Amino acid sequence: MVQIIPARDISLYELEKKFGLQLATDISFFTEWTEIPTLTDSEKQAIARVKSNYLNLNKHRLMSEEAVKMVVLSPLLDLAGFYQPPFEIETETSVEISAEDESFIVKGNIDVLVIQKRFWVLVIESKSSKFDVMIALPQALAYMLARPNPAQPTFGLLINGREFVFVKLIQQEHPWYARSDALSIERDSELHQVLSILKRLGELIVLLPPE
């Protein structure tokens, strides 16, 4: 009997058991979130505005998932250049993955997908600011396992408005992943780092050889 589970309900244990997912502990596995470019003064001013908007709106009421996308995520993707060629944006993209014996299927919709020639640059899973950002990790990893280009690394971003976590997935003998520290919008240096990482990932994807 085939078991179908929504991606929002998947656990890391189930991903490990059904899909062979493994956590990489070597710090050299995911250097893309630390080896990053320096921001310009104008970029720092722009993300200061993002922070100000978030703090102002969130003090009235905790921001919904849709508000997080509009107020925090959208301007960061714009500043990182993901709304310009060679990138495209898709929202609510349907995804389905199945275990090798096809007895276990995960289905869901990716919040925001940044693509470049069908290569998934970022799988973005956002949550309301009232939730811990790490709640989105199993769901994002499930989507990343369904990527169309398993030979290349795929990156993910978890966001709840207040915090950001980047994820990297590589297919070797098994799928391996690692994540960044949680970066806070309330600390300027960490918010700067978020935009720098986004820019770095965009640069890396552009440099990849064509398929």
Side-chain angles (χ1 to χ4, degrees):
M1 182 176 178
V2 177
Q3 180 182 1
I4 300 176
I5 183 169
R8 65 177 179 272
D9 296 331
I10 198 73
S11 69
L12 285 176
Y13 173 78
E14 288 169 317
L15 292 175
E16 292 174 358
K17 182 178 179 181
K18 298 294 185 179
F19 300 96
L21 183 68
Q22 300 289 328
L23 173 65
T25 56
D26 188 337
I27 61 173
S28 65
F29 180 87
F30 189 12
T31 59
E32 291 88 350
W33 78 276
T34 55
E35 298 173 356
I36 52 178
T38 302
L39 299 182
T40 65
D41 289 340
S42 61
E43 288 171 331
K44 292 178 181 179
Q45 292 171 3
I47 57 176
R49 180 74 171 182
V50 174
K51 175 181 177 179
S52 175
N53 291 340
Y54 166 80
L55 293 176
N56 177 60
L57 294 173
N58 204 58
K59 69 183 178 184
H60 293 284
R61 63 179 58 86
L62 293 176
M63 295 178 69
S64 67
E65 182 174 342
E66 291 306 313
V68 168
K69 293 178 189 175
M70 179 175 65
V71 176
V72 180
L73 178 59
S74 182
L76 286 174
L77 293 179
D78 181 24
L79 288 167
F82 288 126
Y83 295 157
Q84 295 291 326
F87 302 105
E88 301 173 22
I89 295 286
E90 293 182 0
T91 59
E92 296 301 321
T93 303
S94 296
V95 170
E96 178 178 315
I97 57 171
S98 59
E100 287 187 8
D101 60 5
E102 298 186 351
S103 64
F104 189 89
I105 297 176
V106 182
K107 292 184 176 182
N109 294 305
I110 301 173
D111 285 346
V112 180
L113 178 62
V114 181
I115 59 176
Q116 193 263 346
K117 293 183 179 179
R118 302 309 306 168
F119 179 83
W120 293 11
V121 182
L122 281 173
V123 176
I124 300 171
E125 185 58 32
S126 61
K127 298 294 182 186
S128 164
S129 60
K130 69 180 179 181
F131 292 113
D132 188 310
V133 70
M134 293 305 297
I135 289 176
L137 179 60
Q139 188 174 356
L141 284 168
Y143 296 148
M144 293 167 73
L145 285 168
R147 65 213 181 285
N149 308 81
Q152 298 287 359
T154 298
F155 298 94
L157 172 60
L158 319 178
I159 174 175
N160 64 1
R162 183 183 66 258
E163 292 182 317
F164 310 81
V165 173
F166 288 88
V167 186
K168 180 180 182 179
L169 179 73
I170 290 179
Q171 179 70 47
Q172 296 174 340
E173 183 179 355
H174 300 283
W176 291 85
Y177 80 97
R179 63 178 179 83
S180 71
D181 294 341
L183 304 172
S184 174
I185 197 172
E186 298 181 359
R187 291 186 282 272
D188 288 346
S189 62
E190 294 184 8
L191 183 56
H192 294 172
Q193 189 174 2
V194 170
L195 179 55
S196 293
I197 295 168
L198 289 171
K199 291 181 61 180
R200 175 62 173 157
L201 296 182
E203 292 170 356
L204 290 173
I205 299 306
V206 170
L207 292 174
L208 282 174
E211 296 180 1

